[in-house]
Amino acid sequence: MARQQRALRTREALIRSAAEVVDRDGFTVASLTEISTRAGVSNGALHFHFGSKVALAEAVEAAAVRRLEALIGEASPGAGSRLQRLVDVTHALARGLTSDVVLRAGFVLCSDAAWVPAADPRTYWQQWVEGLVREAGEVGELRSVAESEGIVTAVVGATVGFEVLGARDPAWLAPRTITQFWELLLPTLASPELLAVLNAKGTQGA
């Protein structure tokens, strides 16, 4: 049991170290030697857990998707509407991208031309938004159900843009930026009745 726990800790340390290097340098430039050194393990230990740099990057990507799943599950579970939940989770995603290097590295991998994603967080995010917007339309929360595809495009495009821009300027992921985005978008997509009670700042604190 103790050996299994040590192996798990080593694996998690390598994933975090790889995430830090990928976040800073990208996949192509990332060095396995630097990753193992930052994790405090030998190159041999790294190769015991991960047979290649691709396998390690896939582990980072999978870990990022799990972080995103957890973030979505935890963000405002008591939100009164689908659209409010979408607002809340978008704020939570921005906070996560600011504070969680593993989550951030998963998104960084999506931008690397040399990387072929397996189950990347951007695709997961798009599918989740699509599902929630569809539900919002089914229960009458949208001003026009016919515009649901455009809503998904706007939300996914904007949030991914905030993620990319936020890598250089944290202001793009600040609560004020996300709030301003929703203040502009909500009047165009929410039914009049729902718009009056929606909170563009989110229902959870930063």
Side-chain angles (χ1 to χ4, degrees), residues 44-70:
L46 185 154
H47 286 287
F48 173 80
H49 288 278
F50 302 101
S52 66
K53 187 166 78 168
V54 169
L56 180 51
E58 287 176 344
V60 171
E61 184 178 67
V65 171
R66 290 194 298 272
R67 303 286 181 95
L68 181 57
E69 288 174 338

Side-chain angles (χ1 to χ4, degrees), residues 57-205:
E58 287 176 344
V60 171
E61 184 178 67
V65 171
R66 290 194 298 272
R67 303 286 181 95
L68 181 57
E69 288 174 338
L71 179 152
I72 288 172
E74 294 170 1
S76 193
S81 72
R82 276 73 170 178
L83 288 184
Q84 186 63 63
R85 180 163 172 73
L86 181 57
V87 172
D88 291 347
V89 173
T90 304
H91 277 281
L93 175 59
R95 292 193 296 269
L97 288 169
T98 300
S99 62
D100 187 338
V101 70
V102 175
L103 177 63
R104 193 163 60 244
F107 279 86
V108 169
L109 280 168
C110 299
S111 300
D112 198 308
W115 179 248
V116 179
D120 64 279
R122 284 186 185 170
T123 298
Y124 183 91
W125 172 245
Q126 178 177 340
Q127 292 172 344
W128 182 81
V129 172
E130 287 173 348
L132 196 65
V133 169
R134 182 171 58 252
E135 290 180 14
E138 290 171 352
V139 298
E141 293 186 7
L142 302 182
R143 184 178 292 273
S144 171
V145 176
E147 296 176 358
S148 59
E149 184 175 342
I151 295 169
V152 172
T153 299
V155 173
V156 174
T159 50
V160 170
F162 294 151
E163 169 246 320
V164 173
L165 293 167
R168 292 183 177 273
D169 182 357
W172 284 101
L173 292 170
R176 177 172 174 77
T177 302
I178 308 304
T179 298
Q180 289 176 330
F181 165 71
W182 283 114
E183 286 175 342
L184 288 170
L185 188 61
L186 285 175
T188 70
L189 61 90
S191 65
E193 298 79 12
L194 182 60
L195 181 61
V197 299
L198 289 174
N199 186 351
K201 295 181 179 179
T203 60
Q204 290 186 330

Side-chain angles (χ1 to χ4, degrees), residues 8-43:
L8 180 60
R9 286 196 297 269
T10 298
R11 180 181 174 85
E12 291 302 314
L14 285 167
I15 289 174
R16 180 172 181 84
S17 177
E20 292 170 349
V21 175
V22 167
D23 180 45
R24 187 192 67 200
D25 299 332
F27 170 73
T28 303
V29 179
S31 161
L32 289 179
T33 298
E34 181 178 2
I35 290 170
S36 62
T37 299
R38 290 174 69 95
V41 303
S42 67
N43 276 333

